[in-house]
Amino acid sequence: MKITKELEAEISAMMDDYWGSYFRGDLEHWQSYLVDDYRNIGGTEEEIWNSKQEIVEYTHRVIDQMAGLTELRNMQRQIIPYNGYLMVHEFTDIFIRIEEKWTFYGKFRLSSLIQKIADTWKVLHQHGSYPDSHTEQGEAFAFDTLRKENTQLREAVKRRTVELENKNHELKIEAALERVRSASMAMQRSAELASVARTVFEQLKVLGIDVYRSWIDIFHVKEGYVLTWSTDFEGNFQPNPATFPLDFDETMSDFYRDYKSSSKFIELEAHGDEVREWFDYLYSVSSDPIFKMTSVPDELYQIWAKHKYGTVATTKLSPITNNEKDILNRFAKVFEQAYTRFLDLQKAEAQTREAQIEAALERARAQSMMMQHSDEINTISNVFHEQLILLGIPSEFSYVWLPDEANETHQFWASWSEVKAGENTLQSKQVTYPLDKSEPYTAACFAAWANPDVILEEFIPSRDIAGFFEVWQELLSGADKLKAEYFPDGIYYSEAYMRYGCFGINIRRKLSEEEKSILKRFSKEFERAYTRFLDLQKAEEQALLIRQERDRLEAALKELHATQDQLVQQEKLASLGQLTAGIAHEIKNPLNFVNNFSDVSVELVEEAREEVRRVTVNVGQVTEDRGPDSPISRGDGGGEAGARGVSSEAEEGDRPQNSEADPSSLNTPLNPSSHRDPFGARGEAGSNPQMDLLLEILDDIEANLRKIHEHGSRADSIVKSMLQHSRGGDGKMEPTPLNPIIKEYVNLAFHGMRAGNDPINVDIDCSWMRALKKCL
């Protein structure tokens, strides 16, 4: 096969495309040039491939190191034909990109055996190698260069070993710091700082530092003291910190001054007796038994690594190296970061706790604001007890003490929880006792009440528990579990005082300072609730007075309305009386004329009778012809029974006069049957009939006039009574005869019935008690 320029150009284009797709990362296109039984021997021990699949898999693993990061430059090619095959030798420079800069890596030689199969060039076998850079011209092996490189390699190994050892030591330090950090991050309470101090002690030991003891100081500058959590020489620690006043003496003042200085460390050395004196001093300041040493070392080296909140310190029995100082300083920095987080968590927890307390107080406050009546105070007591339990204060029962010295009583409200039918329920009870200040518990309450800012906390031991519950027996009579036998270890009672008394709880343990603060706040809240209770009580009393006053005013108003109606009625009656008086006056005038003229007419009749009698005497036969019973001989104008026009039944007004009297019963000149025959009996006696008739008429006239006078007098009496009634009186009761009043009202009733639509006619039979006296 002859190599022409056209063939050479075709081969060069194929090889450029082959390498271009490879270094671009286009492996699909690149592997299309390979046959299935492809072979390749590379420049390293690993680079031997016996098939297309092997090199494709390898290339996929390393292509991220090649694509975009490697270039072939200064390419030279030589094409040699071999009986249907072509050998392509390529000489090139490899450049790699490091930090965006292309750097020469080395020269490279590659031989490729290719063959055209189905009009496409395929790669059958490849071999690549790097030229030996150590040999000089004419050398088979570069011994001097190799010796030099071996020396450099050993030195590099030593340096690398040191670096690895330093790195390993650094990793150990980092691991130790991480453990300190973890211990610090795991803290939930300040008391756990003791375990952090022990972790510092242990990790310093792990790092090969022979520490004698370790501790952590937290400065509370505003409060004026330092809290120290310390271990002993075996790593044991006290759960409670030691307290060192900053102004205790000159030594503590110097220590605080050194802490505020700019140096990273505070250092102390003690030798011989100084060691004993130092521990004795620590014990005298703090009274912490961890500093009371039975035996002390001869020498002591102490160092405090300062941080923002205090120090991380350790003690050695040998001088402290700079490396150890650096490690301790790093411990202090790690602790500072962790303690900052701890304070943040503590602050967040404090805020959360405060929110819980405020929520509990708000629920109690809301219940007190919902109180509508003073008898709802027991509900308030229950809510306070329930909220204390929700805040994690396991009160056995809560109570309120309200003394009333004016009435010599004191009132107790108690609340407790009971489980009934599987449900937790709240119970309460109120009892008022006589106030006895000499009783021990009461005396203690009054003594504490004088200083309300102090929480009274007393412990009742088991020997006194029976007497304690005996005092509470009446108040806790409904509580099944509040009895002496359920408290064999005794009980605490804590009381927070307020203006009206105290709010207290009974609990099986002592209260923490936070819980005492909560109890005090609940006491103040109960004070507000009880103030509202008293306001409601006062309002209820005022409302009762208002209701009573309203009822009284309503009664007075009703009475006033009745009086007003009575006055109106009296006014009407007065007007009617005035009208009646006017009418009576008008009636009385003609009535007086009737009475007066009837009297005058009777006198005239008498005169007429005397004149007739005189004329009769003159005639001479009048006296002889008349009987002794005649009106003229009587001279008294009698004959009422036979009076003309008058009913014989109308006697003294005892019976009503019939306005429709039978005419046959009347003896009047207008009734023919009543006229005597002028020539009758009197004539038969030889008398003068005309004179007799005249005398009879005079008798009838007299009788009628007397009846007119009688009834006129009666009418005049009625008119006088009307006038007297219309004038009114002074309201003074006077003795009055009953018979006339009864008679008057019977007649009024009779005439009232007669004036109705269905008039009646009855006989009235009066039987009077003559001996009846006047009555009031």
Side-chain angles (χ1 to χ4, degrees), residues 89-112:
H89 296 301
E90 294 176 307
F91 305 91
T92 184
D93 296 333
I94 298 177
F95 280 78
I96 60 175
R97 190 171 68 179
I98 300 175
E99 296 179 354
E100 303 302 322
K101 183 178 180 181
W102 289 98
T103 303
F104 174 72
Y105 180 76
K107 292 183 176 295
F108 189 69
R109 295 180 295 195
L110 184 69
S111 298
S112 302

mmCIF file of all heavy atoms in Angstrom, residues 89-112:
data_model
loop_
_atom_site.group_PDB
_atom_site.id
_atom_site.type_symbol
_atom_site.label_atom_id
_atom_site.label_comp_id
_atom_site.label_asym_id
_atom_site.label_seq_id
_atom_site.Cartn_x
_atom_site.Cartn_y
_atom_site.Cartn_z
ATOM 1 N N HIS A 89 2.625 6.261 14.119
ATOM 2 C CA HIS A 89 3.408 6.695 15.273
ATOM 3 C C HIS A 89 3.129 8.182 15.519
ATOM 4 O O HIS A 89 3.221 8.999 14.598
ATOM 5 C CB HIS A 89 4.896 6.456 15.036
ATOM 6 C CG HIS A 89 5.276 4.998 14.885
ATOM 7 N ND1 HIS A 89 5.047 4.062 15.868
ATOM 8 C CD2 HIS A 89 5.890 4.305 13.855
ATOM 9 C CE1 HIS A 89 5.473 2.881 15.490
ATOM 10 N NE2 HIS A 89 5.979 2.995 14.246
ATOM 11 N N GLU A 90 2.799 8.522 16.797
ATOM 12 C CA GLU A 90 2.491 9.927 17.147
ATOM 13 C C GLU A 90 3.416 10.358 18.286
ATOM 14 O O GLU A 90 3.587 9.630 19.280
ATOM 15 C CB GLU A 90 1.034 10.082 17.604
ATOM 16 C CG GLU A 90 0.048 9.793 16.468
ATOM 17 C CD GLU A 90 -1.401 9.839 16.940
ATOM 18 O OE1 GLU A 90 -1.718 9.126 17.946
ATOM 19 O OE2 GLU A 90 -2.204 10.563 16.372
ATOM 20 N N PHE A 91 4.047 11.534 18.092
ATOM 21 C CA PHE A 91 4.915 12.140 19.103
ATOM 22 C C PHE A 91 4.285 13.497 19.484
ATOM 23 O O PHE A 91 4.087 14.340 18.584
ATOM 24 C CB PHE A 91 6.331 12.322 18.551
ATOM 25 C CG PHE A 91 6.936 11.056 18.012
ATOM 26 C CD1 PHE A 91 6.782 10.699 16.659
ATOM 27 C CD2 PHE A 91 7.667 10.199 18.844
ATOM 28 C CE1 PHE A 91 7.326 9.538 16.184
ATOM 29 C CE2 PHE A 91 8.228 9.041 18.343
ATOM 30 C CZ PHE A 91 8.045 8.705 17.021
ATOM 31 N N THR A 92 3.986 13.691 20.786
ATOM 32 C CA THR A 92 3.236 14.893 21.181
ATOM 33 C C THR A 92 3.639 15.333 22.583
ATOM 34 O O THR A 92 4.288 14.580 23.336
ATOM 35 C CB THR A 92 1.711 14.641 21.145
ATOM 36 O OG1 THR A 92 1.039 15.851 21.437
ATOM 37 C CG2 THR A 92 1.314 13.566 22.149
ATOM 38 N N ASP A 93 3.245 16.571 22.948
ATOM 39 C CA ASP A 93 3.415 17.112 24.308
ATOM 40 C C ASP A 93 2.052 17.123 25.010
ATOM 41 O O ASP A 93 1.044 17.552 24.411
ATOM 42 C CB ASP A 93 3.971 18.539 24.262
ATOM 43 C CG ASP A 93 5.376 18.587 23.661
ATOM 44 O OD1 ASP A 93 6.090 17.561 23.771
ATOM 45 O OD2 ASP A 93 5.732 19.634 23.104
ATOM 46 N N ILE A 94 2.048 16.665 26.274
ATOM 47 C CA ILE A 94 0.795 16.677 27.053
ATOM 48 C C ILE A 94 0.786 17.902 27.972
ATOM 49 O O ILE A 94 1.728 18.123 28.744
ATOM 50 C CB ILE A 94 0.675 15.389 27.886
ATOM 51 C CG1 ILE A 94 0.610 14.161 26.965
ATOM 52 C CG2 ILE A 94 -0.553 15.452 28.787
ATOM 53 C CD1 ILE A 94 0.561 12.852 27.712
ATOM 54 N N PHE A 95 -0.292 18.667 27.858
ATOM 55 C CA PHE A 95 -0.520 19.824 28.739
ATOM 56 C C PHE A 95 -1.780 19.543 29.593
ATOM 57 O O PHE A 95 -2.782 19.021 29.068
ATOM 58 C CB PHE A 95 -0.718 21.096 27.919
ATOM 59 C CG PHE A 95 0.551 21.710 27.428
ATOM 60 C CD1 PHE A 95 1.221 21.177 26.326
ATOM 61 C CD2 PHE A 95 1.092 22.812 28.082
ATOM 62 C CE1 PHE A 95 2.404 21.728 25.873
ATOM 63 C CE2 PHE A 95 2.279 23.378 27.618
ATOM 64 C CZ PHE A 95 2.935 22.839 26.519
ATOM 65 N N ILE A 96 -1.672 19.918 30.866
ATOM 66 C CA ILE A 96 -2.842 19.778 31.759
ATOM 67 C C ILE A 96 -3.181 21.138 32.356
ATOM 68 O O ILE A 96 -2.301 22.003 32.515
ATOM 69 C CB ILE A 96 -2.573 18.757 32.888
ATOM 70 C CG1 ILE A 96 -1.394 19.181 33.735
ATOM 71 C CG2 ILE A 96 -2.369 17.356 32.306
ATOM 72 C CD1 ILE A 96 -1.148 18.290 34.938
ATOM 73 N N ARG A 97 -4.485 21.344 32.684
ATOM 74 C CA ARG A 97 -4.941 22.630 33.235
ATOM 75 C C ARG A 97 -5.016 22.534 34.754
ATOM 76 O O ARG A 97 -5.770 21.719 35.312
ATOM 77 C CB ARG A 97 -6.310 22.993 32.682
ATOM 78 C CG ARG A 97 -6.731 24.428 33.027
ATOM 79 C CD ARG A 97 -7.977 24.812 32.280
ATOM 80 N NE ARG A 97 -9.118 24.027 32.766
ATOM 81 C CZ ARG A 97 -10.361 24.168 32.289
ATOM 82 N NH1 ARG A 97 -10.576 25.031 31.304
ATOM 83 N NH2 ARG A 97 -11.334 23.430 32.752
ATOM 84 N N ILE A 98 -4.228 23.381 35.416
ATOM 85 C CA ILE A 98 -4.213 23.432 36.877
ATOM 86 C C ILE A 98 -4.555 24.858 37.296
ATOM 87 O O ILE A 98 -3.822 25.802 36.947
ATOM 88 C CB ILE A 98 -2.837 23.018 37.437
ATOM 89 C CG1 ILE A 98 -2.495 21.584 37.007
ATOM 90 C CG2 ILE A 98 -2.826 23.125 38.963
ATOM 91 C CD1 ILE A 98 -1.106 21.162 37.412
ATOM 92 N N GLU A 99 -5.674 25.003 38.035
ATOM 93 C CA GLU A 99 -6.128 26.319 38.500
ATOM 94 C C GLU A 99 -6.209 27.308 37.345
ATOM 95 O O GLU A 99 -5.657 28.406 37.391
ATOM 96 C CB GLU A 99 -5.216 26.851 39.610
ATOM 97 C CG GLU A 99 -5.243 25.988 40.871
ATOM 98 C CD GLU A 99 -4.316 26.530 41.953
ATOM 99 O OE1 GLU A 99 -3.589 27.511 41.661
ATOM 100 O OE2 GLU A 99 -4.332 25.981 43.062
ATOM 101 N N GLU A 100 -6.896 26.864 36.285
ATOM 102 C CA GLU A 100 -7.171 27.676 35.099
ATOM 103 C C GLU A 100 -5.899 28.028 34.302
ATOM 104 O O GLU A 100 -5.929 28.910 33.448
ATOM 105 C CB GLU A 100 -7.904 28.977 35.481
ATOM 106 C CG GLU A 100 -9.204 28.782 36.237
ATOM 107 C CD GLU A 100 -10.173 27.922 35.419
ATOM 108 O OE1 GLU A 100 -10.205 28.083 34.186
ATOM 109 O OE2 GLU A 100 -10.894 27.105 36.032
ATOM 110 N N LYS A 101 -4.810 27.311 34.586
ATOM 111 C CA LYS A 101 -3.561 27.585 33.862
ATOM 112 C C LYS A 101 -3.058 26.295 33.229
ATOM 113 O O LYS A 101 -2.955 25.277 33.905
ATOM 114 C CB LYS A 101 -2.503 28.155 34.824
ATOM 115 C CG LYS A 101 -1.198 28.524 34.128
ATOM 116 C CD LYS A 101 -0.212 29.115 35.124
ATOM 117 C CE LYS A 101 1.096 29.487 34.446
ATOM 118 N NZ LYS A 101 2.086 30.041 35.400
ATOM 119 N N TRP A 102 -2.744 26.347 31.916
ATOM 120 C CA TRP A 102 -2.244 25.166 31.218
ATOM 121 C C TRP A 102 -0.760 25.004 31.514
ATOM 122 O O TRP A 102 0.036 25.920 31.357
ATOM 123 C CB TRP A 102 -2.466 25.288 29.711
ATOM 124 C CG TRP A 102 -3.936 25.163 29.350
ATOM 125 C CD1 TRP A 102 -4.801 26.151 29.114
ATOM 126 C CD2 TRP A 102 -4.638 23.943 29.231
ATOM 127 N NE1 TRP A 102 -6.047 25.666 28.840
ATOM 128 C CE2 TRP A 102 -5.985 24.278 28.900
ATOM 129 C CE3 TRP A 102 -4.299 22.589 29.352
ATOM 130 C CZ2 TRP A 102 -6.950 23.324 28.698
ATOM 131 C CZ3 TRP A 102 -5.290 21.642 29.137
ATOM 132 C CH2 TRP A 102 -6.599 22.008 28.835
ATOM 133 N N THR A 103 -0.407 23.762 31.956
ATOM 134 C CA THR A 103 0.966 23.466 32.379
ATOM 135 C C THR A 103 1.484 22.245 31.606
ATOM 136 O O THR A 103 0.761 21.251 31.446
ATOM 137 C CB THR A 103 1.015 23.197 33.889
ATOM 138 O OG1 THR A 103 0.485 24.329 34.577
ATOM 139 C CG2 THR A 103 2.449 22.957 34.356
ATOM 140 N N PHE A 104 2.705 22.347 31.176
ATOM 141 C CA PHE A 104 3.315 21.211 30.465
ATOM 142 C C PHE A 104 3.523 20.067 31.437
ATOM 143 O O PHE A 104 4.097 20.241 32.514
ATOM 144 C CB PHE A 104 4.657 21.621 29.852
ATOM 145 C CG PHE A 104 5.410 20.491 29.234
ATOM 146 C CD1 PHE A 104 4.984 19.900 28.036
ATOM 147 C CD2 PHE A 104 6.558 19.972 29.837
ATOM 148 C CE1 PHE A 104 5.682 18.846 27.469
ATOM 149 C CE2 PHE A 104 7.249 18.909 29.272
ATOM 150 C CZ PHE A 104 6.816 18.351 28.094
ATOM 151 N N TYR A 105 3.036 18.894 31.042
ATOM 152 C CA TYR A 105 3.135 17.732 31.900
ATOM 153 C C TYR A 105 4.296 16.815 31.489
ATOM 154 O O TYR A 105 5.032 16.310 32.344
ATOM 155 C CB TYR A 105 1.827 16.956 31.878
ATOM 156 C CG TYR A 105 1.832 15.718 32.751
ATOM 157 C CD1 TYR A 105 1.725 15.814 34.133
ATOM 158 C CD2 TYR A 105 1.985 14.449 32.170
ATOM 159 C CE1 TYR A 105 1.744 14.687 34.928
ATOM 160 C CE2 TYR A 105 2.007 13.309 32.965
ATOM 161 C CZ TYR A 105 1.879 13.433 34.336
ATOM 162 O OH TYR A 105 1.912 12.303 35.131
ATOM 163 N N GLY A 106 4.442 16.570 30.161
ATOM 164 C CA GLY A 106 5.509 15.699 29.675
ATOM 165 C C GLY A 106 5.283 15.292 28.227
ATOM 166 O O GLY A 106 4.229 15.547 27.642
ATOM 167 N N LYS A 107 6.336 14.661 27.666
ATOM 168 C CA LYS A 107 6.238 14.183 26.288
ATOM 169 C C LYS A 107 5.604 12.806 26.284
ATOM 170 O O LYS A 107 5.695 12.069 27.271
ATOM 171 C CB LYS A 107 7.607 14.133 25.622
ATOM 172 C CG LYS A 107 8.207 15.510 25.398
ATOM 173 C CD LYS A 107 9.522 15.397 24.660
ATOM 174 C CE LYS A 107 10.100 16.766 24.347
ATOM 175 N NZ LYS A 107 9.263 17.501 23.416
ATOM 176 N N PHE A 108 4.947 12.455 25.147
ATOM 177 C CA PHE A 108 4.237 11.190 25.066
ATOM 178 C C PHE A 108 4.415 10.614 23.667
ATOM 179 O O PHE A 108 4.381 11.341 22.676
ATOM 180 C CB PHE A 108 2.760 11.429 25.368
ATOM 181 C CG PHE A 108 1.967 10.164 25.515
ATOM 182 C CD1 PHE A 108 2.163 9.316 26.592
ATOM 183 C CD2 PHE A 108 1.029 9.802 24.554
ATOM 184 C CE1 PHE A 108 1.435 8.152 26.727
ATOM 185 C CE2 PHE A 108 0.305 8.626 24.685
ATOM 186 C CZ PHE A 108 0.488 7.806 25.786
ATOM 187 N N ARG A 109 4.591 9.232 23.637
ATOM 188 C CA ARG A 109 4.718 8.530 22.360
ATOM 189 C C ARG A 109 3.633 7.481 22.290
ATOM 190 O O ARG A 109 3.393 6.766 23.270
ATOM 191 C CB ARG A 109 6.102 7.860 22.231
ATOM 192 C CG ARG A 109 7.239 8.862 22.172
ATOM 193 C CD ARG A 109 8.563 8.184 22.047
ATOM 194 N NE ARG A 109 8.892 7.376 23.227
ATOM 195 C CZ ARG A 109 10.102 6.915 23.477
ATOM 196 N NH1 ARG A 109 11.099 7.176 22.650
ATOM 197 N NH2 ARG A 109 10.326 6.192 24.547
ATOM 198 N N LEU A 110 3.003 7.379 21.082
ATOM 199 C CA LEU A 110 1.901 6.456 20.932
ATOM 200 C C LEU A 110 1.958 5.826 19.545
ATOM 201 O O LEU A 110 2.147 6.507 18.539
ATOM 202 C CB LEU A 110 0.557 7.182 21.112
ATOM 203 C CG LEU A 110 -0.689 6.295 21.075
ATOM 204 C CD1 LEU A 110 -0.735 5.412 22.331
ATOM 205 C CD2 LEU A 110 -1.940 7.135 20.998
ATOM 206 N N SER A 111 1.774 4.493 19.539
ATOM 207 C CA SER A 111 1.710 3.766 18.254
ATOM 208 C C SER A 111 0.335 3.158 18.126
ATOM 209 O O SER A 111 -0.147 2.497 19.062
ATOM 210 C CB SER A 111 2.779 2.662 18.198
ATOM 211 O OG SER A 111 4.067 3.231 18.291
ATOM 212 N N SER A 112 -0.308 3.337 16.942
ATOM 213 C CA SER A 112 -1.666 2.841 16.721
ATOM 214 C C SER A 112 -1.691 1.995 15.459
ATOM 215 O O SER A 112 -1.241 2.453 14.395
ATOM 216 C CB SER A 112 -2.654 4.007 16.585
ATOM 217 O OG SER A 112 -2.630 4.838 17.729
#
